[in-house]
Amino acid sequence: MVQIDKDKALILQFNQIGIKDIATVGGKNASLGEMIVNLAPLGIKIPDGFATTAYAYRLFLQYSDLDRKLAQLFSTLDVSDIDNLREHGRQARTLILNAPLPKELEQAITQAYLELLPQDSVAVAVRSSATAEDLPDASFAGQQETYLNVHGVWSVLTATHQCFASLFTDRAISYRAARGYDHLEVGLSVGIQKMIRSDLATSGVMFSIDTETGFKNNVLITASYGLGENIVQGAVNPDEYLVFKPTLLKGYSPILEKRLGSKEIKMVYEQGSGKQTKNIPVAAEDRSRYALEDSDILALARWACIIEQHYSQINGNNTPMDIEWAKDGVTGELFIVQARPETVQSLKSQQILSNYLLQGQGELLLTGRAVGEMIGSGKARVILDVQKLAAFEQGEVLVTRQTDPDWEPIMKKASAIITDQGGRTCHAAIIARELGIPAVVGCGNATDIIKNGQELTVSCAQGEQGHVYQGIIPYQLQTTELEYLPKTRTKILMNVGNPEVIFSLAAIPCDGVGLARLEFIINNHIGVHPLALLESEKISDPVVKAKIESLTIGYRSASDFFIEKLSSGIAMIAAAFYPLAVIVRMSDFKSNEYASLLGGKDFEPIEENPMLGWRGASRYYDPKYKKAYSLECEAIKKVRQQMGLTNIIPMVPFCRTPAEGARVLLEMENYGLKQGKNGLQIYMMCEIPSNVILADEFCQIFDGFSIGSNDLTQLILGLDRDSALVAQLFDERNEAVKRMISQFIQTVHKNGKKVGICGQAPSDYPEFAEFLVRQGIDSISLNPDSLVKTVLVIADIEAQIESAN
């Protein structure tokens, strides 16, 4: 093989370059070559192509004395002055476009292009790749131009020339200046790559890390119809899919969550008008279905894992990746068209936990996708035209339809960003994360609702949904150092309910989840009584029936809607703490709470005291309800068996007698959840005096226990904790309650089983936490906001006990 002098070459084929050649062909092209050489043999498909070199670019500058002219021009640059920036950018681009390409470079590009596409019948993408691009600490994403659907030698040469000029777009100049890069030290390579016919199918972006929380075990995939530029630019609200890497790599199918995007337009090839691409509307039936089949979602996620593993080996540390993909509408094949290191979450410290908290309330104006778990506020500046950027003032909230890299000079001045369009991988989202400011994207009509000068608070600290409030609402930032948190003998677990915030909570050191409440998922993510889905003919209100039909559009059946929503919420909680145990309490709605769900009034009795009525275990085997319980079991089974999240431990609440416990286990077995099979353990809540008195018998049925101190206190003291009249008597520290808890712990341990507690009392009362530790309780499950401080208390108690012994 002939040895190539890369330092003097004008053109290099992708299979001649690798990641060590960033200085020669830029980050984008070096990465494509790296993958073609090393990952194509593993089955990952990357479109072929070639790249001009940085040497070719510098030859072009010298050829027309451009390096001297540009140096002189930039001596008077002031990037803080928008008008000055624009004028310098315009002059720089004019200088480049008016200078001819060297003949030897034109000949080299022509020859390589004709070798790549002898028949000249396939379109190519012509992409810029700067030599300071796609580095581990700076993405430079979207700073230079890309040209799609390019045909013919002349068009390729023209696009190459325009790419050279795009090194001096206003946004690129501003970005380099903000990061201290010399404008003339950065070179430019141009990649010419075969295009994939994703205009006839789908395309998108994926990250091998959770983009909002930095959780490293997830792959986030976004997808929309047509060419991928619309997703990158934020012109569409794409579908989103979340896949869990550890069990994916074990052969399971762990699609944790699927979110349907509106996908209103798609970018396709333009034919015969002189333009290269155009946007057209997406048919309503296509908008209402997912753009990717599950098999494609899983295939892309596996590729993301392989790509991440390869780059992590190169860099010697974990390297999450930002990857663009496309599906060919002719062949049905998937392709990777770009890959670069992720440069925001992967660089954050994992030892500092930051938590933003609103300190007041305001009128909710808008919601959208939350980007960055932060809060920002300021006066709104609505800008619809990139030519009006000079009006933007420091500290304002930018409100616009969508952003592209031309907006970056003002984005760094913003306190927050709000857009009508876009998803979690759009330009506005990427830059907001990089700048460390909150953004709410994909709001739909923000530019119609918000007015210039309106005071706003933008909160992305309340889960996956971002909120825009009227007025300036005070907020607080809490930071917690996690590095020196002590390890305790007593296992410290967490009480959780909301899957939307779960990957943020995963950063808090703990030993797993002691209580995951199904009621929260059913109430907030499903909202429908399960029997109303299974027996819709019994619903008396036609309006309610219509609402339920609307919610379940796109699902094979109403029961599939319930199972998919519930399994997704459970799976996200289990994934966040995998492989640690996650105890999932089966539904414990009371009849009045169930009646408040959509359609619930037609299926629930009216009880004088629902707290002591038809709840928990008594429902699960009852002929009037057990069909609904089967849906919960199906959801658990799907998460354990299909997604591989076997760290889930179902827990039965409010089980009055051992015989009732045995009946519930039989029902669960009928629905595919057999105790002991595939490591399945089933726990019981201890919250009734009979659970304590008959603890020996319950230990013969269940694998472990968790004390629900709220209900147990209520029933030992004979008071209704919903009644304000006796609220002052409710106290878990009452001696009768403590004696019952102590007795239960000792009996369970005598039977070789484990017992924890999941009530609020250990968080509120240090002396109660001390009592539990001295009784030898195996675990204490705490609410997230009190976990860190209570760990310190428990560590101190354990130290005192040890020193006393």
Side-chain angles (χ1 to χ4, degrees), residues 19 254 391 395 467 677 778:
I19 203 63
H467 299 79
K677 185 176 180 180
D778 295 295

Side-chain angles (χ1 to χ4, degrees), residues 278-292:
K278 65 178 179 181
N279 276 315
I280 61 173
V282 174
E285 60 268 26
D286 289 334
R287 293 201 303 270
S288 63
R289 65 180 177 86
Y290 290 109
L292 283 177

Side-chain angles (χ1 to χ4, degrees), residues 73 77 81-94 170 173:
L73 173 64
L77 172 67
D81 182 334
I82 294 291
D83 291 332
N84 178 284
L85 171 63
R86 281 179 171 160
E87 181 57 24
H88 281 73
R90 185 192 65 78
Q91 289 187 37
R93 295 190 296 275
T94 300
D170 301 348
I173 295 169

